[in-house]
Amino acid sequence: MNNYPINSELRRYVEASVLPLYDAFDRGHNREHVCRVIAESLELAQNYNVDVNRVYTIAAYHDAGMARGRDLHHIYSAELLAHDTNLLRWFSPDDLQQMAEAIEDHRASGKHPPRSIYGAIVAEADRDLCPDIVLRRTMQFGMNRYPDRPFEFHLQRTIEHLHEKYAAGGYLKLWLHSPKNERGLDELRAIIANPAELERRCRAIYENIKPRQ
């Protein structure tokens, strides 16, 4: 992130007041995740005529409302940004409205295209379509929610989620041309189509993160 001309005071504020929120979230939405989305958003932003300070801030807030619930986290995250009057030191009220809309629009299950390029950038950055990351986050979410269930339960849940979201005909959409994401999605779909390989990868993840007895 040091390679991008982000306002230094804004960066210090976000690092002190926003990023620590992610330390309380599950492993699929923790600080590692938000930092990855910030970095990917800034990389994508180089291809468009956008304000990198807005891109940085949208990415930093995109999951910040997760503490109030996963199902509407995009709405809660947008509200956190929109109501943070400290941000008026760097952005206008109109900027904050557009930035909040971008956060609302980032969710993969959204049925409509993002309302601005800012929403498209953070949505694309949030996809995390590296197969290893997708499989790990999916398994982690299930194991956090159902810690006492056996591997077979988590495998079946993962298979169902992958088919619903990532397989051909799934609800995930790519709003920008991103060779990295397109390549990752192709690789992921090949794994989904190979049950033995999918089970092998999921079992390795399960054995790595399950609580030690």
Side-chain angles (χ1 to χ4, degrees), residues 10 13-15 17-19 21-22 25 34 37-38 53-66 73-88 90-91 96 99-100 102-104 106 122:
L10 172 63
Y13 175 72
V14 167
E15 290 179 348
S17 301
V18 182
L19 299 189
L21 297 173
Y22 290 81
F25 300 160
V34 70
V37 173
I38 291 171
N53 289 307
R54 277 187 257 179
V55 171
Y56 169 74
T57 307
I58 292 164
Y61 278 82
H62 84 281
D63 280 345
M66 188 69 70
H73 79 277
H74 55 305
I75 302 297
Y76 302 141
S77 300
E79 290 175 354
L80 279 176
L81 182 147
H83 296 155
D84 187 348
T85 56
N86 291 300
L87 293 177
L88 292 172
W90 304 287
F91 305 106
L96 294 187
M99 293 159 70
I103 292 174
E104 290 178 357
H106 88 272
V122 74

Short mmCIF file of all heavy atoms in Angstrom, two decimals, residues 10 13-15 17-19 21-22 25 34 37-38 53-66 73-88 90-91 96 99-100 102-104 106 122:
data_model
loop_
_atom_site.label_atom_id
_atom_site.label_comp_id
_atom_site.label_asym_id
_atom_site.label_seq_id
_atom_site.Cartn_x
_atom_site.Cartn_y
_atom_site.Cartn_z
N LEU A 10 -5.21 10.26 6.59
CA LEU A 10 -6.31 9.32 6.38
C LEU A 10 -5.83 7.90 6.67
O LEU A 10 -6.53 7.13 7.35
CB LEU A 10 -6.81 9.42 4.94
CG LEU A 10 -7.83 8.36 4.49
CD1 LEU A 10 -9.11 8.46 5.31
CD2 LEU A 10 -8.13 8.52 3.00
N TYR A 13 -5.59 7.33 10.36
CA TYR A 13 -6.92 7.21 10.98
C TYR A 13 -7.52 5.83 10.72
O TYR A 13 -8.02 5.18 11.65
CB TYR A 13 -7.86 8.30 10.43
CG TYR A 13 -9.26 8.13 10.95
CD1 TYR A 13 -9.57 8.42 12.28
CD2 TYR A 13 -10.28 7.65 10.12
CE1 TYR A 13 -10.86 8.23 12.77
CE2 TYR A 13 -11.56 7.46 10.60
CZ TYR A 13 -11.85 7.76 11.93
OH TYR A 13 -13.12 7.56 12.42
N VAL A 14 -7.47 5.38 9.51
CA VAL A 14 -8.03 4.07 9.17
C VAL A 14 -7.30 2.96 9.91
O VAL A 14 -7.93 2.04 10.46
CB VAL A 14 -7.97 3.85 7.64
CG1 VAL A 14 -8.25 2.39 7.29
CG2 VAL A 14 -8.98 4.76 6.94
N GLU A 15 -5.99 3.03 9.95
CA GLU A 15 -5.22 1.98 10.62
C GLU A 15 -5.47 1.96 12.12
O GLU A 15 -5.43 0.88 12.75
CB GLU A 15 -3.73 2.18 10.33
CG GLU A 15 -3.37 1.87 8.88
CD GLU A 15 -1.90 2.09 8.57
OE1 GLU A 15 -1.20 2.71 9.43
OE2 GLU A 15 -1.45 1.67 7.48
N SER A 17 -8.41 3.27 13.67
CA SER A 17 -9.81 3.25 14.07
C SER A 17 -10.69 2.26 13.32
O SER A 17 -11.76 1.90 13.80
CB SER A 17 -10.42 4.65 13.90
OG SER A 17 -9.71 5.60 14.67
N VAL A 18 -10.26 1.81 12.14
CA VAL A 18 -11.11 0.94 11.33
C VAL A 18 -10.56 -0.48 11.26
O VAL A 18 -11.26 -1.45 11.58
CB VAL A 18 -11.28 1.51 9.90
CG1 VAL A 18 -12.21 0.61 9.09
CG2 VAL A 18 -11.83 2.93 9.97
N LEU A 19 -9.32 -0.63 10.88
CA LEU A 19 -8.75 -1.97 10.71
C LEU A 19 -8.81 -2.81 11.99
O LEU A 19 -9.04 -4.03 11.91
CB LEU A 19 -7.32 -1.89 10.18
CG LEU A 19 -7.15 -1.23 8.81
CD1 LEU A 19 -5.72 -1.43 8.31
CD2 LEU A 19 -8.15 -1.76 7.80
N LEU A 21 -11.16 -3.20 13.97
CA LEU A 21 -12.47 -3.84 14.07
C LEU A 21 -12.42 -5.27 13.55
O LEU A 21 -13.12 -6.16 14.06
CB LEU A 21 -13.52 -3.05 13.27
CG LEU A 21 -13.81 -1.61 13.73
CD1 LEU A 21 -14.74 -0.93 12.72
CD2 LEU A 21 -14.44 -1.61 15.12
N TYR A 22 -11.60 -5.50 12.54
CA TYR A 22 -11.55 -6.81 11.89
C TYR A 22 -10.88 -7.88 12.77
O TYR A 22 -11.03 -9.07 12.50
CB TYR A 22 -10.81 -6.70 10.55
CG TYR A 22 -11.59 -5.94 9.51
CD1 TYR A 22 -11.61 -4.55 9.49
CD2 TYR A 22 -12.34 -6.61 8.55
CE1 TYR A 22 -12.34 -3.84 8.54
CE2 TYR A 22 -13.06 -5.92 7.58
CZ TYR A 22 -13.06 -4.53 7.59
OH TYR A 22 -13.79 -3.85 6.65
N PHE A 25 -13.43 -10.39 14.06
CA PHE A 25 -14.26 -11.13 13.12
C PHE A 25 -13.70 -12.53 12.88
O PHE A 25 -12.58 -12.85 13.26
CB PHE A 25 -14.38 -10.37 11.79
CG PHE A 25 -14.99 -8.99 11.93
CD1 PHE A 25 -14.80 -8.03 10.95
CD2 PHE A 25 -15.75 -8.65 13.04
CE1 PHE A 25 -15.35 -6.77 11.07
CE2 PHE A 25 -16.31 -7.38 13.17
CZ PHE A 25 -16.10 -6.44 12.17
N VAL A 34 -9.17 -8.04 5.02
CA VAL A 34 -9.39 -6.65 4.62
C VAL A 34 -8.13 -6.05 4.02
O VAL A 34 -8.21 -5.27 3.05
CB VAL A 34 -9.91 -5.80 5.80
CG1 VAL A 34 -8.86 -5.57 6.87
CG2 VAL A 34 -10.43 -4.46 5.29
N VAL A 37 -8.02 -7.16 0.47
CA VAL A 37 -8.99 -6.45 -0.36
C VAL A 37 -8.52 -5.02 -0.63
O VAL A 37 -8.68 -4.52 -1.75
CB VAL A 37 -10.39 -6.45 0.30
CG1 VAL A 37 -11.36 -5.55 -0.46
CG2 VAL A 37 -10.94 -7.88 0.36
N ILE A 38 -7.94 -4.37 0.36
CA ILE A 38 -7.39 -3.03 0.15
C ILE A 38 -6.31 -3.07 -0.93
O ILE A 38 -6.32 -2.26 -1.87
CB ILE A 38 -6.82 -2.46 1.45
CG1 ILE A 38 -7.94 -2.14 2.44
CG2 ILE A 38 -6.00 -1.19 1.17
CD1 ILE A 38 -7.46 -1.77 3.83
N ASN A 53 -7.79 7.64 -2.63
CA ASN A 53 -8.19 7.79 -1.23
C ASN A 53 -9.58 7.22 -1.00
O ASN A 53 -9.83 6.57 0.02
CB ASN A 53 -8.16 9.27 -0.83
CG ASN A 53 -6.76 9.81 -0.71
OD1 ASN A 53 -5.92 9.25 -0.02
ND2 ASN A 53 -6.49 10.91 -1.41
N ARG A 54 -10.47 7.44 -1.96
CA ARG A 54 -11.81 6.85 -1.84
C ARG A 54 -11.74 5.33 -1.96
O ARG A 54 -12.39 4.60 -1.21
CB ARG A 54 -12.74 7.44 -2.90
CG ARG A 54 -13.34 8.77 -2.50
CD ARG A 54 -14.39 9.22 -3.50
NE ARG A 54 -13.86 10.25 -4.37
CZ ARG A 54 -14.54 10.82 -5.36
NH1 ARG A 54 -15.76 10.40 -5.64
NH2 ARG A 54 -14.00 11.77 -6.09
N VAL A 55 -10.97 4.85 -2.93
CA VAL A 55 -10.83 3.41 -3.11
C VAL A 55 -10.31 2.77 -1.83
O VAL A 55 -10.84 1.76 -1.35
CB VAL A 55 -9.89 3.10 -4.30
CG1 VAL A 55 -9.56 1.61 -4.35
CG2 VAL A 55 -10.52 3.55 -5.61
N TYR A 56 -9.27 3.33 -1.26
CA TYR A 56 -8.67 2.81 -0.04
C TYR A 56 -9.69 2.76 1.10
O TYR A 56 -9.81 1.76 1.82
CB TYR A 56 -7.49 3.70 0.34
CG TYR A 56 -6.91 3.46 1.71
CD1 TYR A 56 -6.13 2.33 1.97
CD2 TYR A 56 -7.14 4.35 2.75
CE1 TYR A 56 -5.59 2.11 3.23
CE2 TYR A 56 -6.61 4.13 4.01
CZ TYR A 56 -5.83 3.01 4.25
OH TYR A 56 -5.31 2.79 5.49
N THR A 57 -10.44 3.84 1.28
CA THR A 57 -11.37 3.93 2.40
C THR A 57 -12.55 2.99 2.23
O THR A 57 -12.98 2.33 3.19
CB THR A 57 -11.84 5.38 2.55
OG1 THR A 57 -10.70 6.25 2.63
CG2 THR A 57 -12.69 5.55 3.80
N ILE A 58 -13.08 2.90 1.02
CA ILE A 58 -14.18 1.96 0.75
C ILE A 58 -13.74 0.53 1.08
O ILE A 58 -14.45 -0.22 1.75
CB ILE A 58 -14.62 2.07 -0.72
CG1 ILE A 58 -15.30 3.41 -0.98
CG2 ILE A 58 -15.57 0.92 -1.09
CD1 ILE A 58 -15.41 3.76 -2.46
N ALA A 59 -12.57 0.16 0.60
CA ALA A 59 -12.08 -1.19 0.85
C ALA A 59 -11.88 -1.43 2.34
O ALA A 59 -12.19 -2.51 2.85
CB ALA A 59 -10.77 -1.41 0.09
N ALA A 60 -11.39 -0.43 3.06
CA ALA A 60 -11.14 -0.59 4.49
C ALA A 60 -12.44 -0.79 5.28
O ALA A 60 -12.47 -1.55 6.26
CB ALA A 60 -10.40 0.62 5.03
N TYR A 61 -13.52 -0.17 4.84
CA TYR A 61 -14.80 -0.25 5.55
C TYR A 61 -15.70 -1.38 5.03
O TYR A 61 -16.74 -1.63 5.62
CB TYR A 61 -15.57 1.06 5.41
CG TYR A 61 -15.17 2.16 6.37
CD1 TYR A 61 -14.07 2.96 6.13
CD2 TYR A 61 -15.92 2.41 7.51
CE1 TYR A 61 -13.72 3.98 6.99
CE2 TYR A 61 -15.59 3.44 8.38
CZ TYR A 61 -14.48 4.22 8.12
OH TYR A 61 -14.14 5.24 8.98
N HIS A 62 -15.32 -2.08 3.97
CA HIS A 62 -16.31 -2.88 3.24
C HIS A 62 -16.95 -3.98 4.08
O HIS A 62 -18.11 -4.35 3.84
CB HIS A 62 -15.69 -3.46 1.96
CG HIS A 62 -14.93 -4.72 2.16
ND1 HIS A 62 -13.64 -4.75 2.66
CD2 HIS A 62 -15.26 -6.01 1.92
CE1 HIS A 62 -13.21 -6.00 2.72
NE2 HIS A 62 -14.18 -6.79 2.28
N ASP A 63 -16.25 -4.52 5.08
CA ASP A 63 -16.83 -5.53 5.97
C ASP A 63 -16.87 -5.06 7.42
O ASP A 63 -17.08 -5.88 8.33
CB ASP A 63 -16.02 -6.83 5.90
CG ASP A 63 -16.35 -7.69 4.69
OD1 ASP A 63 -17.38 -7.45 4.04
OD2 ASP A 63 -15.56 -8.60 4.38
N ALA A 64 -16.69 -3.79 7.67
CA ALA A 64 -16.54 -3.29 9.04
C ALA A 64 -17.79 -3.49 9.89
O ALA A 64 -17.71 -3.52 11.12
CB ALA A 64 -16.16 -1.81 9.02
N GLY A 65 -18.94 -3.66 9.26
CA GLY A 65 -20.19 -3.86 10.00
C GLY A 65 -20.50 -5.31 10.30
O GLY A 65 -21.60 -5.63 10.76
N MET A 66 -19.56 -6.20 10.09
CA MET A 66 -19.79 -7.63 10.27
C MET A 66 -20.23 -7.98 11.69
O MET A 66 -20.97 -8.96 11.89
CB MET A 66 -18.51 -8.40 9.91
CG MET A 66 -18.65 -9.90 9.87
SD MET A 66 -19.66 -10.48 8.49
CE MET A 66 -18.58 -10.12 7.09
N HIS A 73 -24.38 -7.39 6.41
CA HIS A 73 -23.14 -6.70 6.78
C HIS A 73 -22.79 -5.59 5.80
O HIS A 73 -22.16 -4.60 6.19
CB HIS A 73 -21.98 -7.70 6.88
CG HIS A 73 -21.40 -8.11 5.57
ND1 HIS A 73 -21.94 -9.10 4.77
CD2 HIS A 73 -20.31 -7.64 4.88
CE1 HIS A 73 -21.21 -9.22 3.68
NE2 HIS A 73 -20.22 -8.36 3.72
N HIS A 74 -23.18 -5.74 4.53
CA HIS A 74 -22.87 -4.68 3.56
C HIS A 74 -23.63 -3.39 3.88
O HIS A 74 -23.11 -2.30 3.67
CB HIS A 74 -23.19 -5.16 2.14
CG HIS A 74 -24.59 -5.65 1.95
ND1 HIS A 74 -25.15 -6.65 2.72
CD2 HIS A 74 -25.55 -5.29 1.07
CE1 HIS A 74 -26.39 -6.88 2.31
NE2 HIS A 74 -26.65 -6.06 1.33
N ILE A 75 -24.85 -3.54 4.41
CA ILE A 75 -25.64 -2.36 4.80
C ILE A 75 -25.04 -1.73 6.06
O ILE A 75 -24.86 -0.50 6.13
CB ILE A 75 -27.10 -2.75 5.06
CG1 ILE A 75 -27.71 -3.39 3.80
CG2 ILE A 75 -27.90 -1.53 5.52
CD1 ILE A 75 -27.77 -2.49 2.60
N TYR A 76 -24.72 -2.56 7.05
CA TYR A 76 -24.15 -2.04 8.29
C TYR A 76 -22.79 -1.39 8.04
O TYR A 76 -22.46 -0.36 8.65
CB TYR A 76 -24.00 -3.16 9.32
CG TYR A 76 -25.30 -3.86 9.66
CD1 TYR A 76 -25.32 -5.25 9.86
CD2 TYR A 76 -26.48 -3.16 9.79
CE1 TYR A 76 -26.50 -5.90 10.18
CE2 TYR A 76 -27.67 -3.80 10.10
CZ TYR A 76 -27.67 -5.18 10.29
OH TYR A 76 -28.84 -5.83 10.60
N SER A 77 -22.00 -1.98 7.16
CA SER A 77 -20.68 -1.42 6.85
C SER A 77 -20.82 -0.06 6.17
O SER A 77 -20.07 0.88 6.47
CB SER A 77 -19.90 -2.38 5.95
OG SER A 77 -19.72 -3.63 6.58
N ALA A 78 -21.78 0.04 5.25
CA ALA A 78 -22.03 1.32 4.58
C ALA A 78 -22.46 2.38 5.58
O ALA A 78 -22.05 3.55 5.49
CB ALA A 78 -23.09 1.14 3.50
N GLU A 79 -23.28 1.99 6.55
CA GLU A 79 -23.73 2.94 7.56
C GLU A 79 -22.57 3.44 8.42
O GLU A 79 -22.51 4.63 8.77
CB GLU A 79 -24.81 2.30 8.45
CG GLU A 79 -26.13 2.07 7.74
CD GLU A 79 -27.13 1.33 8.60
OE1 GLU A 79 -26.76 0.90 9.72
OE2 GLU A 79 -28.29 1.19 8.17
N LEU A 80 -21.66 2.54 8.76
CA LEU A 80 -20.50 2.96 9.54
C LEU A 80 -19.71 4.04 8.82
O LEU A 80 -19.31 5.04 9.42
CB LEU A 80 -19.60 1.76 9.83
CG LEU A 80 -19.98 0.84 10.98
CD1 LEU A 80 -19.02 -0.34 11.05
CD2 LEU A 80 -19.97 1.60 12.31
N LEU A 81 -19.47 3.83 7.53
CA LEU A 81 -18.73 4.84 6.77
C LEU A 81 -19.53 6.13 6.65
O LEU A 81 -19.01 7.22 6.90
CB LEU A 81 -18.38 4.30 5.38
CG LEU A 81 -17.55 5.24 4.49
CD1 LEU A 81 -16.62 4.44 3.59
CD2 LEU A 81 -18.45 6.14 3.63
N ALA A 82 -20.80 6.02 6.29
CA ALA A 82 -21.62 7.21 6.05
C ALA A 82 -21.77 8.08 7.30
O ALA A 82 -21.89 9.31 7.20
CB ALA A 82 -23.00 6.79 5.55
N HIS A 83 -21.75 7.45 8.47
CA HIS A 83 -21.96 8.17 9.72
C HIS A 83 -20.67 8.55 10.43
O HIS A 83 -20.70 9.13 11.51
CB HIS A 83 -22.84 7.34 10.66
CG HIS A 83 -24.22 7.10 10.13
ND1 HIS A 83 -24.99 6.02 10.51
CD2 HIS A 83 -24.95 7.78 9.23
CE1 HIS A 83 -26.14 6.06 9.87
NE2 HIS A 83 -26.13 7.12 9.09
N ASP A 84 -19.54 8.25 9.83
CA ASP A 84 -18.26 8.59 10.44
C ASP A 84 -17.89 10.02 10.05
O ASP A 84 -17.31 10.27 8.99
CB ASP A 84 -17.18 7.61 9.97
CG ASP A 84 -15.87 7.81 10.71
OD1 ASP A 84 -15.72 8.84 11.40
OD2 ASP A 84 -14.98 6.94 10.60
N THR A 85 -18.23 10.95 10.91
CA THR A 85 -18.00 12.36 10.60
C THR A 85 -16.51 12.71 10.53
O THR A 85 -16.15 13.75 9.97
CB THR A 85 -18.69 13.26 11.65
OG1 THR A 85 -18.22 12.90 12.97
CG2 THR A 85 -20.20 13.08 11.59
N ASN A 86 -15.66 11.86 11.10
CA ASN A 86 -14.22 12.12 10.99
C ASN A 86 -13.77 12.11 9.53
O ASN A 86 -12.80 12.79 9.17
CB ASN A 86 -13.44 11.06 11.76
CG ASN A 86 -13.61 11.19 13.26
OD1 ASN A 86 -13.28 12.22 13.85
ND2 ASN A 86 -14.12 10.14 13.90
N LEU A 87 -14.47 11.35 8.70
CA LEU A 87 -14.08 11.26 7.30
C LEU A 87 -14.33 12.56 6.54
O LEU A 87 -13.80 12.75 5.44
CB LEU A 87 -14.83 10.11 6.62
CG LEU A 87 -14.46 8.71 7.12
CD1 LEU A 87 -15.33 7.66 6.43
CD2 LEU A 87 -12.98 8.41 6.87
N LEU A 88 -15.11 13.49 7.12
CA LEU A 88 -15.35 14.77 6.46
C LEU A 88 -14.09 15.63 6.43
O LEU A 88 -14.07 16.66 5.75
CB LEU A 88 -16.49 15.51 7.19
CG LEU A 88 -17.87 14.86 7.05
CD1 LEU A 88 -18.87 15.55 7.95
CD2 LEU A 88 -18.34 14.90 5.59
N TRP A 90 -11.56 14.60 4.95
CA TRP A 90 -10.93 14.26 3.67
C TRP A 90 -11.93 14.14 2.52
O TRP A 90 -11.52 14.17 1.36
CB TRP A 90 -10.18 12.92 3.80
CG TRP A 90 -9.17 12.95 4.90
CD1 TRP A 90 -7.97 13.62 4.89
CD2 TRP A 90 -9.27 12.33 6.18
NE1 TRP A 90 -7.31 13.44 6.08
CE2 TRP A 90 -8.08 12.64 6.89
CE3 TRP A 90 -10.23 11.53 6.81
CZ2 TRP A 90 -7.85 12.19 8.20
CZ3 TRP A 90 -10.00 11.08 8.10
CH2 TRP A 90 -8.82 11.41 8.77
N PHE A 91 -13.22 14.02 2.84
CA PHE A 91 -14.22 13.79 1.79
C PHE A 91 -15.44 14.69 2.01
O PHE A 91 -15.75 15.07 3.14
CB PHE A 91 -14.68 12.33 1.80
CG PHE A 91 -13.57 11.33 1.69
CD1 PHE A 91 -13.17 10.58 2.79
CD2 PHE A 91 -12.90 11.14 0.49
CE1 PHE A 91 -12.13 9.65 2.70
CE2 PHE A 91 -11.87 10.22 0.37
CZ PHE A 91 -11.48 9.47 1.49
N LEU A 96 -19.03 10.74 0.53
CA LEU A 96 -19.39 9.70 1.50
C LEU A 96 -20.61 8.92 1.04
O LEU A 96 -20.68 7.70 1.24
CB LEU A 96 -19.63 10.31 2.89
CG LEU A 96 -18.42 10.93 3.59
CD1 LEU A 96 -18.78 11.32 5.01
CD2 LEU A 96 -17.23 10.00 3.59
N MET A 99 -19.45 6.55 -1.63
CA MET A 99 -18.62 5.52 -1.03
C MET A 99 -19.48 4.50 -0.27
O MET A 99 -19.23 3.29 -0.32
CB MET A 99 -17.58 6.16 -0.10
CG MET A 99 -16.54 6.99 -0.87
SD MET A 99 -15.70 8.22 0.16
CE MET A 99 -14.70 7.17 1.21
N ALA A 100 -20.50 5.00 0.43
CA ALA A 100 -21.40 4.08 1.13
C ALA A 100 -22.15 3.20 0.14
O ALA A 100 -22.35 2.00 0.37
CB ALA A 100 -22.38 4.88 2.00
N ALA A 102 -21.05 2.25 -2.71
CA ALA A 102 -20.09 1.27 -3.21
C ALA A 102 -19.99 0.08 -2.26
O ALA A 102 -19.90 -1.08 -2.70
CB ALA A 102 -18.72 1.92 -3.40
N ILE A 103 -20.00 0.35 -0.97
CA ILE A 103 -19.95 -0.74 0.02
C ILE A 103 -21.22 -1.57 -0.04
O ILE A 103 -21.18 -2.81 0.00
CB ILE A 103 -19.71 -0.17 1.42
CG1 ILE A 103 -18.31 0.44 1.52
CG2 ILE A 103 -19.91 -1.25 2.48
CD1 ILE A 103 -18.02 1.14 2.82
N GLU A 104 -22.36 -0.93 -0.16
CA GLU A 104 -23.62 -1.67 -0.28
C GLU A 104 -23.60 -2.59 -1.50
O GLU A 104 -24.17 -3.69 -1.47
CB GLU A 104 -24.79 -0.70 -0.41
CG GLU A 104 -25.12 0.08 0.84
CD GLU A 104 -26.26 1.07 0.64
OE1 GLU A 104 -26.76 1.18 -0.50
OE2 GLU A 104 -26.65 1.72 1.62
N HIS A 106 -21.03 -4.11 -2.95
CA HIS A 106 -19.89 -5.01 -3.13
C HIS A 106 -20.25 -6.48 -2.96
O HIS A 106 -19.51 -7.35 -3.41
CB HIS A 106 -18.77 -4.66 -2.14
CG HIS A 106 -18.88 -5.34 -0.80
ND1 HIS A 106 -19.61 -4.81 0.26
CD2 HIS A 106 -18.35 -6.50 -0.33
CE1 HIS A 106 -19.51 -5.61 1.30
NE2 HIS A 106 -18.77 -6.66 0.98
N VAL A 122 -14.30 -2.50 -5.54
CA VAL A 122 -14.24 -3.23 -4.26
C VAL A 122 -14.93 -4.59 -4.39
O VAL A 122 -14.49 -5.58 -3.78
CB VAL A 122 -14.83 -2.40 -3.11
CG1 VAL A 122 -16.35 -2.32 -3.19
CG2 VAL A 122 -14.41 -2.98 -1.76
#
